[in-house]
């Protein structure tokens, strides 16, 4: 008994009142003698039982401990006298306490309902007053309080007159910038102030002295507003505003009171939980079955009347069995260790009892748990947690928790690949659509800024992708400031993958720009990315950024005034620094990309010209008149029109929507299908445009150059084409020497061809051709002879390939080409031999046109070979070398070979000599033995009675033919002819002629380097020829003489090694290309190695 009293004193001393009460009730039920300490403490004061909730609350525990009197067995005589009476009344007192608590709870619930009703009425009053204020403001122009307010109206009229005086002055702009910046700083809008300071680059916003030394600093914006507007005489408006201020104050008070009521309800809920636990103890183990507050009194009363059932007795035994182990020290130690290790989890589980009853309770629980759950989930399974994460971020009330969870969303995967980034971005876009623009700017965009300096390139790519994907869900001011600044900074990233992502998402961002305030910045970024060093970045620029930039410039009206001059100027800059003789692949590919961009711009320019024309497009085509392709396009446009494009933060956003494309891959530029002309309307506009250009010359020029009237506006688009674009394009072609390079000429001709094909045949005939002819014509041009030569050499191929081939017809092109060939050959009409290379380049480009190639072959193989002038026939032979690569073997055999056979027996030696080069080209292009025999016979015929020039031309032809021709032609024709040429040269009496031909023959023999040669051929043809050439070595440079002797020794050494070595290196086939072409044999090891070593030695020398 003494130990029980010590335990009771310990429990009371340390404030363990619930445990002491349980102990007291157990002692009473088991019939053990009462413990005086417990009886006196719990039964001496009836208020103790009546105020059980306050007694057991955490806030009153310390005061209870201090106020509790110390008890002992000797000093408790008065308590012992009353313990019996108190014990009999304990049950009744507890029931009274429970009833009192329920009455108090009911009273507080009624107070909460009244407060909610008052709050709702206040909100309705505020809305009504706002509507009244809006109606008063809208009706201010009529009567009422605004009638007779002539002073204020006059002031407003004067202000409007001052505002309409003209453009804002520099002083005014700087003054307003200074006032706005100070106002933003004073209202703590620091981010907006920083953005303003970044955009205003020509002014120091912190110094008034920079604006004016002689003027006093003006008042602040707030002072100006209050002085000029806030002190007006509008009494009605002032009353309404005062009422609004009073209502807002009342509303704030009600909201504050509502918050207090919510706290009180939360406290009541906690007290109710404690009361239920006490009732379970008082009711001798009656289990709590989760009944609602309204059902509990009746259920409790029924249980008290009926007594415990068999099931309740079983539960009672179970409770007794479960409570007993709590006294074991080992169990206490295990529980304390677990609680110490999992304190956070235990607190979270306890919070569920309270949070689970609230309306937003599950969201609060998820907000506390997700941050710790996600790191333990496998990477491939984390996508399954996205819906929970997004809903929690959307609905959680605590901004700090939302910020942490948003950071978790961005950092869901440490180094996300492309698909994982797409998953994260889809989540971000879905969240942005749920929360709206304000929260997107405040919560999602800061996460982008934080990740911009990540050490992982995958995370930096994610930042760039988020800038494009979230552009549709933020305000326009945020797009042109923060998001554009992020992409501009990432554009300097050293990683190619990051810059490529910047390209694609910059295109997505600028598609949402609703004005051209940032055009200069965007243009600078586009050009910098256009010339990026990485090919994948450049490819993305051309595939994504440039098309969007062009469409955006069209929408903002910048295509003709900014974009076209920009890229045409870039072409000129590139060509200015290019040497036509040494154009590297990098520069050539860049300028070709510029040509592609120019072609796209020309197509858009044509659309702008038609759209802004003064003509009527007419009605749209009826469904019966539309083609199948037009109907499909129209259906596709309607489908996209009804697909979700903009974010929504209302309940409709929760409905299921069929999204065709990905949420994060949308562009802001859209076109109403009704605003797009169909094929019938475009044809009508083109027809009227052609009639306009084909009218009387005076009217056409006046209308096309000065512009046509349309709704009081000029046709500036056509004026730009005539007065600026075409003249500037011609200037770029003629001003730079790089235009003479074939690749550059081809690119320029493609741009001109696009212009002519888009604008039509009438435009080409009446606008383009006169512009070029005026410059190329000798009569109409004002150029000097040198300038005319350069202009013709650069402009003619572009004109013929780009303009004449589009709408001129093949007959006209062939006629122009024939005339130019004759003029150059006979050197008339200011044409001369210096234009031969230009003519050859022009022929090469024209041969790429399938419709022109047969006509060109007919021209040079039939019409011109019978021309009476020998110069013309010789000039045609010179063009064969450029035509042969474009023809197949059958065309060569049927068309060119007969023409060469005919001209090889021409009466003029110059013509016969001119056929040698084409014959050599045919020998490298044909493989048939009969065809090569024909060519060999013509070469041998030309060698008979050949003069010195013919022999030199033949030796030079052999040097180019030997490495690329068949073995048969080399052994049967080339080697015998070389021996004859060497023998003829040794008999020449002219020292200069002998020296010139000996050098050419040496080059011809040296061209056998690396060829497959049999020992018999070396013995029979090469060594005798070299020895004959060695006889003329005295006329050569000593280096040539030494190399020639070395070549002879190596050949003799290779033959002397025996027949076996010769056969081992000789291919079985007798025919094959000279340099061991794959499939035609390989070089003999001994002879090839020896011969190549001679060549290396000769070159080193």
């Amino acid at each position: 008994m003494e130990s029980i009293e010590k335990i009771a004193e310990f429990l009371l001393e340390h404030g363990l009142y619930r445990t002491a009460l349980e102990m007291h009730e157990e002692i009473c039920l088991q019939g053990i003698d009462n413990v005086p300490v417990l009886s006196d403490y719990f039964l001496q004061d009836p208020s103790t039982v009546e105020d059980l909730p306050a007694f057991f609350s955490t806030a009153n525990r310390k005061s209870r401990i201090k106020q509790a009197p110390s008890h002992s067995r000797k000093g408790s005589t008065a308590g012992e006298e009353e313990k019996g009476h108190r014990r009999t009344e304990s049950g009744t007192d507890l029931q009274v306490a429970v009833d009192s608590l329920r009455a108090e709870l009911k009273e507080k619930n009624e107070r909460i309902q009244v407060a909610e009703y008052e709050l709702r009425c206040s909100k309705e009053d505020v809305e009504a007053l706002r509507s009244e204020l809006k109606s008063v403001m809208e009706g201010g122009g009529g009567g009422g309080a605004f009638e007779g307010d002539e002073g204020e109206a006059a002031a407003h009229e004067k202000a409007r007159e001052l505002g309409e005086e003209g453009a804002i002055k520099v002083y005014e702009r700087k003054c307003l910038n200074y006032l706005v910046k100070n106002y933003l700083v004073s209202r703590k809008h620091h981010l907006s102030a920083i953005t303003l300071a970044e955009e205003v680059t020509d002014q120091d916003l912190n110094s008034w002295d920079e604006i004016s030394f002689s003027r006093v600093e003006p008042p602040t914006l707030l002072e100006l507003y209050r002085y000029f507007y806030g002190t007006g005489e509008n009494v009605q408006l002032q009353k309404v505003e005062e009422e609004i201020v009073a209502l807002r104050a009342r509303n704030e008070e009600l909201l504050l009171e509502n918050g207090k009521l919510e706290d009180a309800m939360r406290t009541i809920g906690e007290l109710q939980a404690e009361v239920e636990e006490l009732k379970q103890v008082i009711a001798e183990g009656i289990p709590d079955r989760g009944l609602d507050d309204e059902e509990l009194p009746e259920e409790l009363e029924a249980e008290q009347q009926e007594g415990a059932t068999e099931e309740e007795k079983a539960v009672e035994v179970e409770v007794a069995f479960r409570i007993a182990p709590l006294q074991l020290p080992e169990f206490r130690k295990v529980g304390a260790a677990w609680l110490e290790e999992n304190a956070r989890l235990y607190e979270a589980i306890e919070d569920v009892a309270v949070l689970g009853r609230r309306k937003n309770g599950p969201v609060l629980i998820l907000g506390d748990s997700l941050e710790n759950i996600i790191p333990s989930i496998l990477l491939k399974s984390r996508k399954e947690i996205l819906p929970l994460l997004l809903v929690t971020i959307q609905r959680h009330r605590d901004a700090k928790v939302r910020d942490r969870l948003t950071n978790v969303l961005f950092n869901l995967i440490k180094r996300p690949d492309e698909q994982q980034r797409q998953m994260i971005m889809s989540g971000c876009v879905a969240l942005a659509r749920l929360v709206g623009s304000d929260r997107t700017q405040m919560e999602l965009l800061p996460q982008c800024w934080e990740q911009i300096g990540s050490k992982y390139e995958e995370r930096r790519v994610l930042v760039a992708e988020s800038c494009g994907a979230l552009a549709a869900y933020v305000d326009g001011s945020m797009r042109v400031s923060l998001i554009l600044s992020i992409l501009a900074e990432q554009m300097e990233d050293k990683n190619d993958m990051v810059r490529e992502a910047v390209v694609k998402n910059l295109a997505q961002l600028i598609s949402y720009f609703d004005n051209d305030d940032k055009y200069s910045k965007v243009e600078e970024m586009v050009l910098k990315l256009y010339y990026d060093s990485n090919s994948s970045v450049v490819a993305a620029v051309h595939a994504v950024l440039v098309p969007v930039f062009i469409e955006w410039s069209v929408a903002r009206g910048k295509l003709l005034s900014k974009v076209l001059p920009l890229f045409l100027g870039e072409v000129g800059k590139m060509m200015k620094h290019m040497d036509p003789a040494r154009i590297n692949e990098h520069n050539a590919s860049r300028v070709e990309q510029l040509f592609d961009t120019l072609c796209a711009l020309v197509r858009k320019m044509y659309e702008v010209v038609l759209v802004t024309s003064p003509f009527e497009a007419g009605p749209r085509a009826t469904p019966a008149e539309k083609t199948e392709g037009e109907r499909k396009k129209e259906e596709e446009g309607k489908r996209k029109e009804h697909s979700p494009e903009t974010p929504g933060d209302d309940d409709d956003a929760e409905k299921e929507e069929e999204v065709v494309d990905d949420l994060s891959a949308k562009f802001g530029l859209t076109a109403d299908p009704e605003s797009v002309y169909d094929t019938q309307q475009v044809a009508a506009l083109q027809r009227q445009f052609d009639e306009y250009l084909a009218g009387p010359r005076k009217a056409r020029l006046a209308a096309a150059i000065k512009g046509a009237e349309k709704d009081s506006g000029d046709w500036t688009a056509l004026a730009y084409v005539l007065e600026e674009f075409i003249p500037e394009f011609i200037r770029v072609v003629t001003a730079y020497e790089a235009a003479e390079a074939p690749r550059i000429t081809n690119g320029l001709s493609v741009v001109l061809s696009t212009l002519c094909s888009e604008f039509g045949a009438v435009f080409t005939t009446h606008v383009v051709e006169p512009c070029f002819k005026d410059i190329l014509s000798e009569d109409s041009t004002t150029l000097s002879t040198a300038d005319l030569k350069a202009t013709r050499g650069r402009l003619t191929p572009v004109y013929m390939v780009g303009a004449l081939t589009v709408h001129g017809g093949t007959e006209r092109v062939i006629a122009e080409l024939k005339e130019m060939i004759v003029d150059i050959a006979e050197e008339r009409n200011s044409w001369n031999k210096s234009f031969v290379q230009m003519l050859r380049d022009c022929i090469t480009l024209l041969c790429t046109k399938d419709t022109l190639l047969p006509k060109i072959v007919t021209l040079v193989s039939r019409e011109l070979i019978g021309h009476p002038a020998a110069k013309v026939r010789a000039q045609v032979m010179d063009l064969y070398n450029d035509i042969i690569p474009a023809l197949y073997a059958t065309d060569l055999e049927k068309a060119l070979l007969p023409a060469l056979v005919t001209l090889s027996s021409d009466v003029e030696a110059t013509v016969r000599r001119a056929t040698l080069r084409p014959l050599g080209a045919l020998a490298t292009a044909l493989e048939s033995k009969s065809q090569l025999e024909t060519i060999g016979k013509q070469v041998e015929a030309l060698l008979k009675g050949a003069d010195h020039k013919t022999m030199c031309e033949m030796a030079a032809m052999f040097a180019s033919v030997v490495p690329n021709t068949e073995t048969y032609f080399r052994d049967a024709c080339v080697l015998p002819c070389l021996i004859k040429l060497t023998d003829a040269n040794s008999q020449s009496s002219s020292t200069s002629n002998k020296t010139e031909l000996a050098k050419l023959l040496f080059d011809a023999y040296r061209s056998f380097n690396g060829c497959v040669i049999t020992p018999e051929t070396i013995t029979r043809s090469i060594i005798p020829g070299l020895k004959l050439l060695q006889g003329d070595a005295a006329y050569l440079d000593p280096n040539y003489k030494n190399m020639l002797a070395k070549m002879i020794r190596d050949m003799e050494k290779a033959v002397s090694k025996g027949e076996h070595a010769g056969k081992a290196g000789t291919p079985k086939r007798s025919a094959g290309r000279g340099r061991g072409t794959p499939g035609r044999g390989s070089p003999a090891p001994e002879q090839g190695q020896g011969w190549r070593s001679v060549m290396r030695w000769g070159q080193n020398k």
Side-chain angles (χ1 to χ4, degrees):
M1 192 66 182
E2 184 177 354
S3 61
I4 294 177
E5 291 180 355
K6 290 183 178 180
I7 293 173
E9 291 177 356
F10 174 80
L11 294 175
L12 293 174
E13 182 180 356
H14 289 80
L16 304 175
Y17 303 116
R18 291 183 184 175
T19 306
L21 180 60
E22 290 178 2
M23 182 178 177
H24 176 66
E25 293 298 326
E26 291 288 340
I27 290 173
C28 293
L29 291 173
Q30 294 178 10
I32 304 174
D33 293 338
N34 292 334
V35 179
V37 177
L38 296 177
S39 300
D40 294 343
Y41 186 79
F42 286 111
L43 302 178
Q44 67 177 347
D45 187 4
S47 63
T48 304
V49 180
E50 294 176 0
D51 197 15
L52 283 177
F55 178 78
F56 288 112
S57 63
T58 305
N60 294 330
R61 285 179 180 175
K62 293 184 179 180
S63 62
R64 286 287 181 178
I65 293 174
K66 293 180 180 179
Q67 295 174 4
S70 61
H71 299 277
S72 63
R73 294 184 61 185
K74 294 181 180 181
S76 59
T77 304
E80 290 178 356
E81 294 177 356
E82 298 179 0
K83 64 181 179 180
H85 177 70
R86 294 294 178 90
R87 183 169 60 252
T88 57
E89 296 181 356
S90 60
T92 305
D93 294 337
L94 288 173
Q95 182 63 38
V96 171
V98 171
D99 293 340
S100 174
L101 285 173
R102 298 195 182 285
E104 182 180 355
L105 178 62
K106 185 176 181 180
E107 180 182 356
K108 289 185 178 180
N109 286 335
E110 291 176 353
R111 289 174 57 196
I112 290 171
Q113 292 177 359
V114 171
E116 289 178 347
Y117 175 76
E118 291 179 355
L119 177 62
R120 187 164 57 253
C121 292
S122 300
K123 290 182 178 179
E124 292 176 356
D125 294 340
V126 171
E127 293 297 330
L129 289 173
R130 285 178 178 172
S131 301
E132 182 182 353
L133 174 61
K134 184 177 180 181
S135 62
V136 171
M137 295 299 293
E138 291 177 350
F146 292 88
E147 291 182 358
D149 194 2
E150 299 177 356
E152 185 176 353
H156 282 288
E157 184 65 23
K158 181 62 177 178
R160 281 194 295 270
E161 292 177 0
L162 292 174
E164 295 174 356
E165 285 184 0
I168 185 171
K169 300 176 183 178
V170 177
Y171 171 81
E172 294 173 343
R173 176 175 57 79
K174 289 187 176 183
C175 184
L176 288 176
N177 290 342
Y178 178 82
L179 293 176
V180 171
K181 184 258 180 184
N182 288 342
Y183 172 78
L184 293 175
V185 172
S186 65
R187 305 306 299 171
K188 301 188 182 302
H189 301 313
H190 298 294
L191 182 59
S192 301
I194 293 173
T195 304
L196 176 64
E198 290 177 353
E199 293 181 344
V200 178
T201 59
D202 59 343
Q203 177 184 354
D204 183 6
L205 297 180
N206 297 320
S207 174
W208 171 258
D209 294 337
E210 181 181 343
I211 302 174
S212 175
F213 286 99
S214 58
R215 299 188 182 184
V216 182
E217 181 176 346
T220 63
L221 284 180
L222 180 60
E223 294 170 352
L224 291 172
Y225 172 82
R226 289 176 175 174
Y227 181 80
F228 290 101
Y229 183 81
T231 59
E233 299 178 0
N234 194 335
V235 180
Q236 179 71 14
L237 182 60
Q238 289 182 0
K239 288 183 178 180
V240 174
E241 290 178 347
E242 291 174 358
E243 292 179 1
I244 289 176
V245 172
L247 288 173
R248 285 177 178 173
R250 175 59 179 163
N251 187 29
E252 291 178 357
E253 293 177 359
L254 291 175
L255 291 175
L256 183 60
E257 184 177 352
N258 187 36
K260 293 180 179 179
L261 290 176
E262 290 181 356
D263 294 338
M265 291 177 64
R266 192 180 305 110
T267 305
I268 291 172
E270 295 174 356
L271 293 175
Q272 286 175 347
E274 295 181 0
V275 170
E276 289 175 359
E277 293 177 2
L278 291 175
K279 285 189 290 188
Q280 182 177 358
V281 176
I282 296 171
E284 298 181 357
I286 297 176
D288 182 11
R289 292 177 292 183
L291 298 177
D292 296 337
D293 292 339
E294 297 178 358
E295 301 175 357
L296 188 58
E298 294 79 5
E299 195 69 24
L300 182 60
E301 183 179 357
E303 288 179 356
Q304 289 177 350
Q305 293 175 358
E306 296 175 2
T309 61
E310 294 297 329
E311 181 182 359
E312 292 166 353
K313 291 179 181 178
V315 173
E316 179 180 354
V317 174
E318 183 181 353
V319 170
F321 179 78
R322 189 168 60 247
I323 292 176
L326 294 177
Q327 301 175 6
L328 297 176
E330 293 77 12
F331 186 82
R332 285 287 187 180
K333 289 184 178 180
V334 173
W338 186 88
L339 289 176
E340 182 178 356
E341 182 179 355
N342 301 276
R344 185 197 60 79
L345 180 60
Y346 184 73
E347 292 177 0
I349 293 174
E350 284 188 333
D351 290 342
V352 173
V354 179
L355 298 178
R357 300 181 181 180
R358 300 183 186 178
K359 181 180 179 181
N360 208 29
V363 174
L364 300 177
I365 296 171
L366 286 174
D368 295 336
S369 304
L370 282 177
E371 191 174 357
N372 302 289
I373 293 173
I374 291 177
S376 60
I377 301 176
L378 296 176
L379 291 179
K380 63 179 181 181
S381 302
R382 290 187 181 179
K383 60 183 179 181
E384 305 296 338
I385 206 71
L386 270 179
L388 285 177
L389 188 60
L390 296 178
V391 171
T392 306
I393 296 174
Q394 178 207 2
R395 297 186 178 275
H396 207 287
R397 296 179 300 180
D398 192 342
K400 294 182 179 179
V401 176
R402 293 201 306 268
D403 183 70
R404 292 200 304 268
L405 293 179
T406 307
N407 185 266
V408 170
L409 174 62
F410 266 83
N411 295 273
L412 199 61
I413 299 173
K414 187 175 182 180
R415 303 186 68 172
D417 57 22
E418 184 176 358
Q419 293 183 352
Q420 292 168 339
R421 290 196 301 271
Q422 188 63 38
M423 173 191 68
I424 296 174
M425 288 318 307
S426 298
C428 291
V429 171
L431 181 61
R433 297 181 65 182
L434 289 173
V435 303
S437 61
D438 292 339
R439 283 183 57 184
T440 300
Q441 296 168 181
M442 297 299 295
E443 298 178 11
L444 285 175
L445 287 184
Q447 298 294 335
C448 300
W449 185 261
E450 290 177 5
Q451 299 289 335
I452 195 173
S454 175
K455 64 179 180 179
Y456 301 115
E457 60 270 15
E458 293 87 354
R459 304 208 58 77
R460 301 198 299 274
V461 171
L462 182 63
V463 172
E465 292 178 349
S466 64
C467 289
L470 298 177
Y473 307 97
V474 298
D475 296 337
S477 59
M478 193 62 66
R479 295 177 192 140
V480 299
S481 57
L482 180 60
I483 299 182
L484 187 63
S485 300
I486 292 175
L487 291 180
E489 184 170 345
Q490 284 197 301
M491 193 173 62
E492 307 295 335
D493 200 291
K494 296 181 179 179
N495 187 271
D496 300 333
M497 186 170 61
V498 177
R499 297 199 305 278
E500 184 177 355
V502 170
V503 169
K504 298 176 181 178
N505 290 276
L506 178 61
Q508 194 172 1
L509 175 63
I510 64 176
S511 69
Y512 288 98
F513 285 1
D514 50 8
N515 55 57
D516 57 357
D517 294 344
K518 290 292 182 179
Y519 173 82
S520 300
K521 181 65 175 178
V522 173
E523 178 185 291
E524 177 186 351
M525 296 175 69
V526 169
L527 278 184
K528 190 167 185 178
L529 292 169
Y530 201 96
Y531 295 115
D532 195 90
S533 58
N534 183 263
S535 59
S536 61
V537 176
V538 176
V541 170
H542 288 276
V544 182
L545 181 56
V546 168
V548 176
F549 179 63
I550 293 175
E551 291 291 348
W552 178 67
S553 66
V554 173
R556 302 276 79 83
K558 295 290 185 180
L559 178 71
L560 306 182
S561 60
K562 295 289 186 180
V563 182
L564 264 167
L566 170 69
F567 282 98
L568 196 56
E570 290 298 316
V571 171
K573 292 178 183 177
M574 287 291 296
M575 293 175 58
K576 182 178 181 180
H577 300 92
M578 294 172 66
D579 185 357
R582 293 189 299 271
I583 297 180
N584 57 48
E585 184 63 26
H586 180 68
N587 290 337
S589 61
R590 279 192 171 182
V591 75
E592 286 174 349
Q593 289 167 351
L594 285 170
F595 290 147
D596 293 340
T597 304
L598 268 182
C599 291
L601 289 169
V602 167
R603 296 186 186 97
K604 282 297 173 183
M605 179 174 66
Y606 169 70
E607 294 180 12
V608 173
V609 169
L610 280 192
V611 169
T612 59
S613 66
F615 313 126
E616 294 295 334
R620 303 179 69 87
T622 62
E625 297 173 342
K626 293 181 180 179
T627 63
E628 183 178 357
E630 291 176 340
R631 287 195 293 270
K632 288 183 178 179
K633 288 183 179 180
E634 185 175 350
E635 292 174 0
E636 181 71 14
K638 290 181 179 179
R639 181 180 63 79
K640 290 183 177 180
E641 180 182 2
H642 295 294
S643 64
E645 293 288 342
T646 56
D649 51 359
D650 52 4
D651 295 337
D652 295 337
E654 297 177 2
K655 298 180 181 179
E656 293 184 359
E657 298 174 336
E658 182 181 0
V659 183
V660 178
D661 53 354
D662 183 69
L663 293 174
S664 59
K666 291 182 178 296
F667 290 100
L669 292 171
T670 56
D672 184 6
E674 296 298 326
S675 66
V676 179
Y677 291 145
D678 60 15
T679 306
Q680 178 175 311
Q681 292 174 315
V682 173
L685 290 175
Q686 182 66 50
R687 183 174 59 256
Q688 298 176 71
F689 181 57
D690 293 343
E691 293 173 356
Y692 172 80
L693 294 176
R697 183 174 181 82
K698 182 177 180 180
R700 177 177 62 82
L701 290 178
I705 294 176
K706 296 181 180 179
E709 293 292 331
K710 181 183 178 182
D711 298 336
S712 72
D714 295 333
W715 195 358
T716 56
L718 181 60
Y720 169 78
V721 176
L722 298 177
E723 300 174 6
E724 297 184 36
F725 180 78
I726 294 179
E728 180 62 19
F729 177 77
I730 294 176
R731 188 197 68 80
V732 169
V733 175
T734 58
Y736 306 111
E737 190 178 359
E740 300 173 5
R743 291 182 67 173
I744 307 301
T745 302
N746 182 54
L748 292 169
S749 64
V750 169
V751 176
L752 183 60
S753 175
T754 303
L755 176 69
C756 296
S757 60
E758 289 292 329
F759 281 82
V762 177
F763 181 85
T764 304
T765 303
H766 292 80
V767 176
V768 176
E769 291 184 8
C771 291
F772 280 82
K773 285 184 177 180
D774 287 344
I775 297 175
L776 295 176
S777 174
E778 183 181 8
D779 299 332
S780 59
T781 185
T782 58
L783 300 175
S784 62
T785 303
D787 293 339
L788 177 62
K789 177 182 176 181
T791 300
R792 280 186 169 181
R794 299 164 188 170
L795 202 60
T796 301
V798 176
Y799 168 66
M800 292 193 68
V801 180
L804 293 184
T805 58
V806 178
H807 300 293
T810 56
E811 292 77 9
R812 184 179 175 190
V813 175
I814 295 301
E816 294 276 354
L817 181 61
K818 180 179 179 180
E819 181 181 358
M820 185 166 59
I821 292 173
V822 174
D823 288 344
I824 292 175
E826 296 185 349
E827 299 187 9
R828 64 185 187 184
N829 297 329
S830 301
W831 297 93
N832 51 51
K833 293 294 183 179
S834 62
F835 293 101
V836 170
Q837 185 58 47
M838 179 273 297
L839 177 61
R840 296 181 63 181
D841 294 339
C842 190
I843 290 287
T844 302
L845 295 175
L846 290 174
C847 287
T848 59
K849 310 290 183 180
D850 295 335
T851 57
L852 288 175
L853 183 58
K855 299 291 184 179
I856 295 174
V857 172
T858 302
L859 173 66
V860 298
S861 63
R862 295 182 182 179
E863 298 181 16
L864 291 179
I865 62 172
H867 196 277
K871 293 181 179 179
V872 176
R873 299 197 300 274
Q875 184 63 59
V876 171
M877 292 299 100
D878 189 42
L879 300 178
Y880 272 33
N881 294 324
D882 304 295
I883 300 175
I884 288 173
L887 298 176
Y888 293 103
T890 54
D891 298 326
L892 294 175
E893 181 181 6
K894 294 178 181 179
L896 295 191
L897 184 57
L900 285 173
V901 171
T902 301
L903 291 180
S904 64
S905 57
D906 196 276
V907 294
E908 293 290 337
T910 54
V911 179
R912 295 197 303 272
R913 188 184 311 120
T915 59
L916 283 171
R917 296 277 184 174
L919 286 172
L922 283 179
T924 61
L926 299 176
E927 298 180 358
S928 174
K929 185 176 181 180
S930 60
Q931 297 168 354
L932 293 176
E933 285 180 352
T934 302
I935 296 173
K937 290 179 181 178
Q938 298 303 319
V939 173
E940 291 176 355
L942 289 171
L943 183 58
K944 295 179 181 178
D947 55 7
H948 174 72
K949 290 184 179 180
T950 302
M951 288 190 291
C952 289
E953 186 70 19
M954 186 176 294
M957 182 267 289
F958 286 153
S960 61
V961 167
V962 166
N964 304 305
T965 189
E966 298 289 335
T967 304
Y968 166 79
F969 183 77
R970 187 181 60 223
D971 295 345
C973 176
V974 176
L975 286 173
C977 289
L978 281 176
I979 293 178
K980 293 179 181 179
L981 287 172
T982 306
D983 183 56
N985 188 50
S986 63
Q987 299 176 10
S988 176
S989 59
S990 175
T991 303
S992 59
N993 291 346
K994 184 177 292 188
T995 302
E996 181 183 3
L997 183 56
K999 291 181 179 180
L1000 293 172
L1001 290 172
F1002 177 82
D1003 292 336
Y1005 276 107
R1006 193 171 62 174
S1007 65
F1008 282 90
N1009 177 27
C1011 295
V1012 180
I1013 308 172
T1014 62
E1016 293 81 1
T1017 303
I1018 295 174
T1019 305
R1020 184 180 64 252
S1021 301
I1022 294 182
I1023 292 179
L1026 290 174
K1027 289 184 177 181
L1028 281 174
L1029 185 60
Q1030 193 176 23
D1032 299 330
Y1035 301 98
L1036 297 174
D1037 187 88
N1039 291 332
Y1040 283 91
K1041 183 177 180 180
N1042 295 334
M1043 286 189 291
L1044 188 59
K1046 178 65 175 175
M1047 291 164 63
I1048 295 173
R1049 288 196 301 272
D1050 288 343
M1051 290 298 98
E1052 291 176 344
K1053 182 178 180 181
V1055 173
S1056 65
K1057 285 187 177 180
E1059 192 68 22
H1060 176 71
K1063 291 180 180 180
T1066 305
K1068 294 181 180 181
R1069 291 185 54 171
S1070 59
R1073 294 288 178 181
R1075 294 191 182 276
T1077 305
R1080 298 185 180 276
S1082 56
E1086 292 298 333
Q1087 289 98 1
Q1089 181 64 31
W1091 192 251
R1092 282 191 293 271
S1093 64
V1094 172
M1095 293 299 97
R1096 287 197 298 270
W1097 177 86
Q1099 291 168 356
N1100 291 336
K1101 280 292 194 179

